Short mmCIF file of all heavy atoms in Angstrom, two decimals:
data_model
loop_
_atom_site.label_atom_id
_atom_site.label_comp_id
_atom_site.label_asym_id
_atom_site.label_seq_id
_atom_site.Cartn_x
_atom_site.Cartn_y
_atom_site.Cartn_z
N ALA A 1 -74.55 30.15 220.33
CA ALA A 1 -75.60 30.79 219.55
C ALA A 1 -75.00 31.50 218.34
O ALA A 1 -75.58 31.51 217.25
CB ALA A 1 -76.38 31.79 220.41
N LEU A 2 -73.82 32.08 218.52
CA LEU A 2 -73.12 32.72 217.39
C LEU A 2 -72.72 31.67 216.35
O LEU A 2 -72.83 31.90 215.15
CB LEU A 2 -71.87 33.46 217.89
CG LEU A 2 -72.09 34.69 218.75
CD1 LEU A 2 -70.75 35.24 219.24
CD2 LEU A 2 -72.83 35.76 217.95
N VAL A 3 -72.25 30.52 216.84
CA VAL A 3 -71.86 29.45 215.92
C VAL A 3 -73.06 29.02 215.08
O VAL A 3 -72.97 28.86 213.86
CB VAL A 3 -71.31 28.23 216.71
CG1 VAL A 3 -71.06 27.06 215.77
CG2 VAL A 3 -70.02 28.61 217.43
N ALA A 4 -74.21 28.85 215.73
CA ALA A 4 -75.40 28.36 215.04
C ALA A 4 -76.16 29.48 214.33
O ALA A 4 -77.14 29.20 213.62
CB ALA A 4 -76.33 27.67 216.03
N GLY A 5 -75.76 30.72 214.52
CA GLY A 5 -76.47 31.83 213.89
C GLY A 5 -77.84 32.06 214.48
O GLY A 5 -78.76 32.49 213.78
N MET A 6 -78.02 31.75 215.77
CA MET A 6 -79.31 31.94 216.44
C MET A 6 -79.18 33.04 217.48
O MET A 6 -78.16 33.15 218.16
CB MET A 6 -79.77 30.65 217.12
CG MET A 6 -80.02 29.49 216.18
SD MET A 6 -80.58 28.02 217.12
CE MET A 6 -80.57 26.79 215.82
N GLU A 7 -80.22 33.82 217.63
CA GLU A 7 -80.24 34.87 218.64
C GLU A 7 -80.82 34.29 219.93
O GLU A 7 -81.89 33.70 219.94
CB GLU A 7 -81.09 36.04 218.16
CG GLU A 7 -81.08 37.23 219.11
CD GLU A 7 -81.83 38.42 218.55
OE1 GLU A 7 -82.12 38.42 217.33
OE2 GLU A 7 -82.14 39.34 219.33
N LEU A 8 -80.09 34.47 221.03
CA LEU A 8 -80.56 33.94 222.30
C LEU A 8 -81.77 34.72 222.80
O LEU A 8 -81.84 35.95 222.68
CB LEU A 8 -79.46 34.01 223.36
CG LEU A 8 -78.35 32.96 223.28
CD1 LEU A 8 -77.41 33.11 224.47
CD2 LEU A 8 -78.93 31.56 223.24
N ALA A 9 -82.73 34.00 223.36
CA ALA A 9 -83.92 34.62 223.94
C ALA A 9 -83.80 34.61 225.47
O ALA A 9 -83.00 33.86 226.04
CB ALA A 9 -85.17 33.87 223.52
N ASP A 10 -84.59 35.44 226.12
CA ASP A 10 -84.60 35.46 227.58
C ASP A 10 -85.45 34.33 228.16
O ASP A 10 -85.25 33.91 229.30
CB ASP A 10 -85.14 36.80 228.09
CG ASP A 10 -84.23 37.96 227.74
OD1 ASP A 10 -83.00 37.74 227.70
OD2 ASP A 10 -84.73 39.07 227.51
N HIS A 11 -86.43 33.87 227.37
CA HIS A 11 -87.34 32.82 227.81
C HIS A 11 -87.48 31.76 226.71
O HIS A 11 -87.50 32.10 225.52
CB HIS A 11 -88.73 33.37 228.15
CG HIS A 11 -88.75 34.27 229.34
ND1 HIS A 11 -88.26 35.56 229.30
CD2 HIS A 11 -89.21 34.06 230.60
CE1 HIS A 11 -88.42 36.12 230.50
NE2 HIS A 11 -88.99 35.24 231.30
N TYR A 12 -87.59 30.50 227.13
CA TYR A 12 -87.82 29.41 226.18
C TYR A 12 -88.91 28.49 226.72
O TYR A 12 -88.99 28.24 227.94
CB TYR A 12 -86.56 28.57 225.99
CG TYR A 12 -85.50 29.21 225.13
CD1 TYR A 12 -84.49 29.98 225.70
CD2 TYR A 12 -85.51 29.05 223.74
CE1 TYR A 12 -83.51 30.56 224.92
CE2 TYR A 12 -84.53 29.63 222.95
CZ TYR A 12 -83.53 30.39 223.54
OH TYR A 12 -82.56 30.97 222.77
N ALA A 13 -89.73 28.00 225.81
CA ALA A 13 -90.66 26.92 226.14
C ALA A 13 -89.96 25.61 225.78
O ALA A 13 -89.29 25.51 224.76
CB ALA A 13 -91.95 27.05 225.34
N VAL A 14 -90.10 24.62 226.64
CA VAL A 14 -89.47 23.32 226.42
C VAL A 14 -90.51 22.34 225.90
O VAL A 14 -91.58 22.17 226.50
CB VAL A 14 -88.84 22.77 227.71
CG1 VAL A 14 -88.17 21.42 227.44
CG2 VAL A 14 -87.83 23.76 228.28
N THR A 15 -90.21 21.71 224.78
CA THR A 15 -91.07 20.67 224.22
C THR A 15 -90.27 19.38 224.09
O THR A 15 -89.16 19.40 223.55
CB THR A 15 -91.63 21.07 222.84
OG1 THR A 15 -92.50 22.19 222.99
CG2 THR A 15 -92.41 19.93 222.20
N VAL A 16 -90.82 18.30 224.60
CA VAL A 16 -90.18 16.98 224.47
C VAL A 16 -91.09 16.11 223.61
O VAL A 16 -92.24 15.86 223.96
CB VAL A 16 -89.97 16.32 225.84
CG1 VAL A 16 -89.44 14.90 225.67
CG2 VAL A 16 -88.99 17.14 226.68
N ILE A 17 -90.58 15.68 222.46
CA ILE A 17 -91.32 14.81 221.55
C ILE A 17 -90.82 13.39 221.75
O ILE A 17 -89.67 13.07 221.43
CB ILE A 17 -91.15 15.25 220.09
CG1 ILE A 17 -91.54 16.73 219.92
CG2 ILE A 17 -91.98 14.37 219.16
CD1 ILE A 17 -91.26 17.28 218.53
N ARG A 18 -91.69 12.54 222.26
CA ARG A 18 -91.31 11.15 222.58
C ARG A 18 -91.60 10.23 221.40
O ARG A 18 -92.70 10.22 220.86
CB ARG A 18 -92.10 10.68 223.82
CG ARG A 18 -91.83 9.26 224.25
CD ARG A 18 -92.50 8.97 225.59
NE ARG A 18 -93.94 9.16 225.53
CZ ARG A 18 -94.81 8.20 225.25
NH1 ARG A 18 -94.37 6.98 224.96
NH2 ARG A 18 -96.11 8.44 225.25
N VAL A 19 -90.58 9.47 221.01
CA VAL A 19 -90.71 8.49 219.93
C VAL A 19 -90.34 7.13 220.54
O VAL A 19 -89.17 6.81 220.66
CB VAL A 19 -89.78 8.83 218.75
CG1 VAL A 19 -90.00 7.86 217.60
CG2 VAL A 19 -89.96 10.26 218.30
N PRO A 20 -91.33 6.34 220.95
CA PRO A 20 -91.03 5.10 221.68
C PRO A 20 -90.48 3.97 220.82
O PRO A 20 -89.86 3.06 221.33
CB PRO A 20 -92.38 4.71 222.28
CG PRO A 20 -93.38 5.29 221.34
CD PRO A 20 -92.78 6.56 220.83
N ASP A 21 -90.69 4.02 219.52
CA ASP A 21 -90.28 2.89 218.69
C ASP A 21 -89.82 3.42 217.34
O ASP A 21 -90.57 4.08 216.62
CB ASP A 21 -91.44 1.91 218.50
CG ASP A 21 -91.04 0.73 217.62
OD1 ASP A 21 -89.85 0.35 217.66
OD2 ASP A 21 -91.90 0.21 216.90
N ARG A 22 -88.57 3.12 217.01
CA ARG A 22 -88.03 3.54 215.72
C ARG A 22 -87.15 2.42 215.19
O ARG A 22 -85.98 2.32 215.57
CB ARG A 22 -87.24 4.84 215.86
CG ARG A 22 -86.79 5.38 214.51
CD ARG A 22 -86.05 6.71 214.67
NE ARG A 22 -85.61 7.18 213.38
CZ ARG A 22 -86.38 7.80 212.50
NH1 ARG A 22 -87.64 8.00 212.80
NH2 ARG A 22 -85.92 8.20 211.34
N PRO A 23 -87.68 1.55 214.33
CA PRO A 23 -86.90 0.40 213.87
C PRO A 23 -85.64 0.81 213.12
O PRO A 23 -85.58 1.86 212.48
CB PRO A 23 -87.87 -0.33 212.93
CG PRO A 23 -89.23 0.20 213.28
CD PRO A 23 -89.01 1.59 213.76
N ALA A 24 -84.61 -0.04 213.21
CA ALA A 24 -83.40 0.18 212.43
C ALA A 24 -83.75 0.19 210.95
O ALA A 24 -84.61 -0.57 210.50
CB ALA A 24 -82.38 -0.91 212.74
N GLY A 25 -83.08 1.03 210.19
CA GLY A 25 -83.34 1.12 208.76
C GLY A 25 -84.39 2.15 208.41
O GLY A 25 -84.68 2.37 207.23
N ASP A 26 -84.99 2.80 209.43
CA ASP A 26 -85.94 3.87 209.17
C ASP A 26 -85.20 5.06 208.58
O ASP A 26 -83.97 5.10 208.55
CB ASP A 26 -86.65 4.26 210.48
CG ASP A 26 -88.01 4.87 210.22
OD1 ASP A 26 -88.32 5.13 209.05
OD2 ASP A 26 -88.74 5.10 211.20
N ARG A 27 -85.94 6.08 208.15
CA ARG A 27 -85.31 7.24 207.53
C ARG A 27 -84.33 7.92 208.47
O ARG A 27 -84.44 7.84 209.68
CB ARG A 27 -86.39 8.23 207.07
CG ARG A 27 -87.07 7.82 205.78
CD ARG A 27 -88.24 8.73 205.46
NE ARG A 27 -89.34 8.51 206.39
CZ ARG A 27 -90.49 9.17 206.34
NH1 ARG A 27 -90.68 10.10 205.42
NH2 ARG A 27 -91.46 8.91 207.20
N ASP A 28 -83.39 8.63 207.88
CA ASP A 28 -82.30 9.23 208.65
C ASP A 28 -82.83 10.28 209.60
O ASP A 28 -83.26 11.36 209.20
CB ASP A 28 -81.29 9.84 207.67
CG ASP A 28 -80.04 10.31 208.39
OD1 ASP A 28 -79.96 10.18 209.63
OD2 ASP A 28 -79.15 10.83 207.71
N LEU A 29 -82.79 9.98 210.88
CA LEU A 29 -83.32 10.88 211.90
C LEU A 29 -82.54 12.19 211.94
O LEU A 29 -83.12 13.27 212.09
CB LEU A 29 -83.26 10.19 213.26
CG LEU A 29 -83.74 11.02 214.46
CD1 LEU A 29 -85.23 11.31 214.32
CD2 LEU A 29 -83.47 10.27 215.76
N GLU A 30 -81.24 12.11 211.79
CA GLU A 30 -80.42 13.32 211.85
C GLU A 30 -80.83 14.31 210.77
O GLU A 30 -80.91 15.52 211.02
CB GLU A 30 -78.94 12.97 211.71
CG GLU A 30 -78.02 14.17 211.88
CD GLU A 30 -76.56 13.77 211.91
OE1 GLU A 30 -76.18 12.99 212.82
OE2 GLU A 30 -75.81 14.24 211.04
N ASN A 31 -81.10 13.82 209.57
CA ASN A 31 -81.53 14.71 208.49
C ASN A 31 -82.88 15.35 208.79
O ASN A 31 -83.11 16.52 208.47
CB ASN A 31 -81.61 13.94 207.17
CG ASN A 31 -80.24 13.58 206.63
OD1 ASN A 31 -79.24 14.18 207.02
ND2 ASN A 31 -80.18 12.58 205.76
N GLU A 32 -83.77 14.57 209.40
CA GLU A 32 -85.08 15.11 209.74
C GLU A 32 -84.97 16.22 210.78
O GLU A 32 -85.63 17.25 210.68
CB GLU A 32 -85.98 13.98 210.26
CG GLU A 32 -86.30 12.94 209.20
CD GLU A 32 -86.79 11.63 209.80
OE1 GLU A 32 -86.97 11.59 211.03
OE2 GLU A 32 -86.98 10.65 209.05
N ILE A 33 -84.13 15.98 211.78
CA ILE A 33 -83.94 16.99 212.82
C ILE A 33 -83.26 18.22 212.25
O ILE A 33 -83.63 19.36 212.56
CB ILE A 33 -83.13 16.41 213.99
CG1 ILE A 33 -83.91 15.27 214.65
CG2 ILE A 33 -82.80 17.49 215.01
CD1 ILE A 33 -83.13 14.55 215.75
N GLU A 34 -82.27 18.02 211.39
CA GLU A 34 -81.57 19.17 210.79
C GLU A 34 -82.53 20.02 209.97
O GLU A 34 -82.50 21.25 210.03
CB GLU A 34 -80.40 18.69 209.94
CG GLU A 34 -79.60 19.85 209.36
CD GLU A 34 -78.25 19.41 208.82
OE1 GLU A 34 -78.04 18.19 208.65
OE2 GLU A 34 -77.41 20.28 208.57
N ALA A 35 -83.40 19.37 209.19
CA ALA A 35 -84.37 20.11 208.39
C ALA A 35 -85.30 20.91 209.29
O ALA A 35 -85.65 22.07 209.01
CB ALA A 35 -85.17 19.15 207.51
N LEU A 36 -85.69 20.30 210.41
CA LEU A 36 -86.58 20.97 211.36
C LEU A 36 -85.89 22.19 211.98
O LEU A 36 -86.47 23.27 212.07
CB LEU A 36 -86.98 19.98 212.45
CG LEU A 36 -88.09 20.43 213.41
CD1 LEU A 36 -89.44 20.28 212.74
CD2 LEU A 36 -88.04 19.61 214.70
N VAL A 37 -84.65 22.01 212.39
CA VAL A 37 -83.90 23.09 213.03
C VAL A 37 -83.68 24.24 212.05
O VAL A 37 -83.82 25.42 212.40
CB VAL A 37 -82.55 22.56 213.56
CG1 VAL A 37 -81.65 23.71 213.99
CG2 VAL A 37 -82.78 21.62 214.73
N LYS A 38 -83.35 23.92 210.82
CA LYS A 38 -83.12 24.97 209.82
C LYS A 38 -84.40 25.73 209.51
O LYS A 38 -84.38 26.95 209.31
CB LYS A 38 -82.54 24.36 208.54
CG LYS A 38 -81.08 23.94 208.66
CD LYS A 38 -80.57 23.39 207.36
CE LYS A 38 -79.08 23.07 207.45
NZ LYS A 38 -78.55 22.51 206.18
N ARG A 39 -85.51 25.00 209.46
CA ARG A 39 -86.77 25.67 209.13
C ARG A 39 -87.24 26.59 210.24
O ARG A 39 -87.70 27.71 209.98
CB ARG A 39 -87.85 24.62 208.84
CG ARG A 39 -89.22 25.25 208.57
CD ARG A 39 -90.24 24.25 208.10
NE ARG A 39 -91.51 24.89 207.80
CZ ARG A 39 -92.58 24.25 207.38
NH1 ARG A 39 -92.52 22.94 207.19
NH2 ARG A 39 -93.70 24.89 207.14
N TYR A 40 -87.11 26.14 211.49
CA TYR A 40 -87.66 26.91 212.61
C TYR A 40 -86.60 27.72 213.36
O TYR A 40 -86.96 28.58 214.18
CB TYR A 40 -88.39 25.99 213.57
CG TYR A 40 -89.68 25.45 212.99
CD1 TYR A 40 -89.74 24.21 212.36
CD2 TYR A 40 -90.85 26.19 213.06
CE1 TYR A 40 -90.91 23.72 211.82
CE2 TYR A 40 -92.04 25.71 212.52
CZ TYR A 40 -92.06 24.48 211.91
OH TYR A 40 -93.24 24.01 211.37
N GLY A 41 -85.32 27.44 213.14
CA GLY A 41 -84.26 28.21 213.79
C GLY A 41 -84.28 28.09 215.30
O GLY A 41 -84.16 29.09 216.01
N VAL A 42 -84.44 26.86 215.82
CA VAL A 42 -84.52 26.65 217.26
C VAL A 42 -83.48 25.62 217.71
O VAL A 42 -83.13 24.72 216.96
CB VAL A 42 -85.93 26.16 217.67
CG1 VAL A 42 -86.96 27.25 217.44
CG2 VAL A 42 -86.31 24.88 216.92
N PRO A 43 -82.99 25.75 218.94
CA PRO A 43 -82.08 24.73 219.49
C PRO A 43 -82.85 23.44 219.72
O PRO A 43 -83.97 23.46 220.23
CB PRO A 43 -81.61 25.35 220.82
CG PRO A 43 -81.94 26.81 220.74
CD PRO A 43 -83.15 26.89 219.87
#
């Protein structure tokens, strides 16, 4: 948490987002996840 600059919480809600089909050549998933993490500050 120190490495990522996030403050640990005592409780977390778990959300699983299922993506059943993602063709090769689609937009860079890693960049999308990184943008999401930076915006919301969540693991």
